[in-house]
Amino acid sequence: MSIAEFFIYLFAFGIFLYSVTLVSFYILIGFNSIGATRKYLHKNDFTDYRILAASPHAPTVSILAPAYNEGATIVDNVRSLLSLYYNRLELVVINDGSKDDSLQRLIDAYELEKVDFYVNSRIPTKEVRGVYKTKHPAYNKLVVVDKENGGKADALNVGINIASNDYIICIDADCILEQDAILKMVKPFMEEQDAKVIASGGVIRIANSCEVTDGRITKVQLPENYWACMQALEYIRAFLLGRMAWARLDGLLLISGAFGAFDKEIAIQCGGYNVHTVGEDMELVVRMRRYMCELGVPYKVTYIPDPLCWTEAPDSAKILMRQRNRWTRGTIETLRLHKTMFLNPRYDLLGVVSYPYWFFFEMMAPLVEFIGLVVFFIMVFMGMINWHMFIIFLVFIILFGYVNSIFAIYMEVTSYNQYNKRKEIRRLVLAALSEPFLFHPFVVWSAIRGYIDYFRKSKNWGEMTRKGFSKRPETKPAE
Amino acid sequence: MNNQQYIDPEALIIFIYIFGGLMVCMILLTFIFLRARKKKWMIKKQLDEIFDNWLGEWILEDLNEDTQLSIPPTLVDTPGNAYSRQYAVDQLINTKKNLIGIAGQNTVWLYEKLGLKKISLDNFHSRQWFLKAKGIYELYMMEQKDMQDELFPYTNSSNEYVRTEAQTAILAFEGFEGLRFFNTLTHPITNWQQIKLMEQLRPLDPPGIFEDMPNWLQSSNPMVVQFALKLAGEYQQFQVLDCVYKCLGSEHPAIREQAIIALVRMGDETSASAIIERYNNETKNNKQTILRSLYHVASTNELPFLLEVYETGDGDTKLLAARAIAHIGPAGMERLAAKGQEQPEPYEQIYLHIKSEIAR
């Protein structure tokens, strides 16, 4: 065996080992998600959340909704958020230096007045230009903050500084929340026993093609657009399988920035959102967990499988690529910032399982696949491929991917069954079948672009043009 | 290059068949499940119509032992009707939740006349925790008081969900007297359950004195103490004031916090000074609770303490102290204004903040 052959053989064996470990993790995740989802559904089968809505003993909650150039939809979005079913609620809308008329629209619609407000800047942020409130009794839960543009993380930090309540729920202003979303998100914090619940995540669903009336989803439909449909499948897999399972194993590292609840005091003690990363949502969860581990205080991060938050997914390859590029950079930045946790038993399961899983199978996966492809072509060129074995391997891996996706669809149908038409399930299955040939290579390539941008030190958030639920253009803050 | 010496292709091919078979099975199962769900939905829709009409016919009637009840065939107790009968239980419970008076009582009467208790009992006797919990829920929602002795032991069940439903059931049957389960409770009682019980008790007439309250306040179960303090504060149990004071010295911060809140609600003339005494040794959260509590009870006597905290505390503390100072009256506001002039950063902004709050 020549040296070149030896290295290539070593590489091939590494890839095989990698695949086997990944497959084992997916099986573990699958089984755990069944247990976690079943328990949650049984547990809350006849829970009466209305008790919490009106109780004076319920915990106080502040919703933080950062907005940038969302003038076209901001008034409706705020109205929708104000109608959420929860008494002890405060809605903090942070206008992150929008260049459009977002602020003026809010002032006009909700009869806002600038008030004297002492901002206790426990987390350093860009300057707050003003705080607005209204005397209108119907909107007394609303606080609008106008600040200099500093990006989403900075806007959320201002929200944390301003929030007067014990728990914060960070959302994207353009998301649609279910009426009982706050009640369901708050319940896990109230169920804590030996371990303090520091954060709770909720499932995000794709709202493309859904019918929306008065800021509410009135009819759920699978997205017509291929890219959005693929993301619907991906979200089912990620949220219903991945995050539920990781939450059950107490190893959850990511709560989506579009909808997550946190213990405010812990978030502040950790320094709030990191403004130097584009993956601020994951970074905060990792930092909070790390902080609790280092303090030696028992804690928990929980997850709710109910579809509570609906968002519009990118429906063009260009926008999707930007999003995946940013997610990759966010993951690399977060894992790098907390590299001390890697295989560190001090952080328990987080250090020895969750972090390595994210490192090897979330962060490194696109790289491994890409390098694998390059090596494959080299081997073809050198005539080193055993085509028989190659085809068997390929079919094995593709089929396992299919099993995983079909299992996710099965879980969706047997639990929440949001897509309840046979036609929709057929489309989801077809989407799953097409994934290895179209969507997956695209996602891998986007991630590789993310790697390149990361090494170029790009901090671009990436413009996220969205069509809106009803003809509404919207942009996310850019650097 | 030959991997075959290390990986048996035959084994991989077997896995490929397994995965392929699994995939096909899961797709089939998914569609079968979808079909079953749709069928169930159709049945439910039909049941909805039948049940609504039937219930509408009886719900406002003057029902008594002589009433001849006509039962739709789908609700008759036969093995084939298990689904529709469980559906009837769920619907009666939902209806009862939204009704009071005669109509509410009629749902119970109909439940009994239809023999639906059998379903709830089957659930209750199940070995699966979620069915057992559901059975208990159905029994108390349908006021089956004869079950109370059988349910009572489950108030201390090791299964959290069975336990909480049993506790709710006992309170539903016995009202405040049902709180006796605290005498034997050794398991935790979460904040969620505490709220649920507090809200369950709210519409009922409380007894003047809770006889067992001293025992609960000295319970070895910290969550029982916490809940008892909530009750003591809410229902003004002055006879246990000494015990509440003692709780200020508990090793559990959550108990101390609840004791602070209870003391303030009970409004003793010495409450303010007692909680102030604790201030320096408290956790940050409890310090904030003390300041929030002082907002309600502080007088000019507490002004020196509040002013000291106002000057020495962090931003949040300053704001809470300022609120309490302002609430004392014009004297408090004057002190805040004076401090704002003397040292504008940050006191002027805090003063303006409080002023703005009061104006709103």
Side-chain angles (χ1 to χ4, degrees), chain A residues 238-444:
Chain A
F239 287 97
L240 215 51
L241 299 192
R243 296 199 194 165
M244 275 311 283
W246 280 114
R248 191 187 198 209
L249 294 166
D250 197 22
L252 192 66
L253 283 189
L254 172 62
I255 285 176
S256 170
F259 189 46
F262 302 91
D263 182 306
K264 188 181 82 174
E265 198 50 40
I266 305 287
I268 291 176
Q269 282 168 24
C270 291
Y273 283 94
N274 184 338
V275 294
H276 302 297
T277 171
V278 288
E280 75 289 332
D281 45 3
M282 180 180 176
E283 203 281 330
L284 179 67
V285 178
V286 177
R287 193 147 31 89
M288 285 175 77
R289 296 198 71 143
R290 190 177 157 186
Y291 174 80
M292 296 303 281
C293 275
E294 286 169 2
L295 276 185
V297 177
Y299 74 96
K300 240 165 76 173
V301 173
T302 64
Y303 214 80
I304 294 171
D306 291 299
L308 298 177
C309 175
W310 298 82
T311 189
E312 192 194 348
D315 61 0
S316 78
K318 196 174 149 192
I319 309 295
L320 182 62
M321 183 170 279
R322 280 186 203 150
Q323 186 195 53
R324 298 310 159 103
N325 176 320
R326 178 167 52 82
W327 285 5
T328 304
R329 282 181 286 135
T331 306
I332 302 170
E333 284 167 354
T334 302
L335 294 183
R336 197 176 161 196
L337 275 168
H338 300 281
K339 58 179 182 288
T340 183
M341 293 168 74
F342 185 66
L343 291 175
N344 189 340
R346 184 182 177 198
Y347 300 99
D348 302 323
L349 189 98
L350 208 60
V352 293
V353 183
S354 292
Y355 187 109
Y357 174 84
W358 269 83
F359 180 82
F360 289 115
F361 303 117
E362 296 286 347
M363 189 188 106
M364 295 292 287
L367 215 55
V368 171
E369 284 188 53
F370 186 73
I371 294 170
L373 204 66
V374 172
V375 173
F376 166 71
F377 283 118
I378 293 171
M379 287 170 79
V380 171
F381 182 72
M382 292 169 75
M384 291 171 70
I385 295 283
N386 174 343
W387 286 102
H388 176 67
M389 264 316 267
F390 169 75
I391 289 167
I392 291 175
F393 261 134
L394 188 69
V395 175
F396 173 85
I397 285 295
I398 288 177
L399 273 182
F400 183 78
Y402 285 162
V403 169
N404 193 35
S405 293
I406 304 292
F407 176 65
I409 297 169
Y410 173 76
M411 282 292 286
E412 152 65 15
V413 170
T414 53
S415 56
Y416 291 98
N417 200 206
Q418 294 289 309
Y419 305 120
N420 50 21
K421 296 187 195 78
R422 262 188 293 180
K423 192 179 142 199
E424 289 178 320
I425 300 301
R426 266 202 304 270
R427 283 185 51 223
L428 270 178
V429 172
L430 285 175
L433 298 181
S434 78
E435 190 177 13
F437 310 103
L438 200 56
F439 187 76
H440 188 71
F442 174 83
V443 169
V444 171

Side-chain angles (χ1 to χ4, degrees), chain B residues 327-345:
Chain B
H327 202 243
I328 288 173
M333 276 310 271
E334 279 166 22
R335 299 298 289 265
L336 291 179
K339 185 72 189 166
Q341 277 182 344
E342 182 191 316
Q343 198 182 331
E345 187 58 45

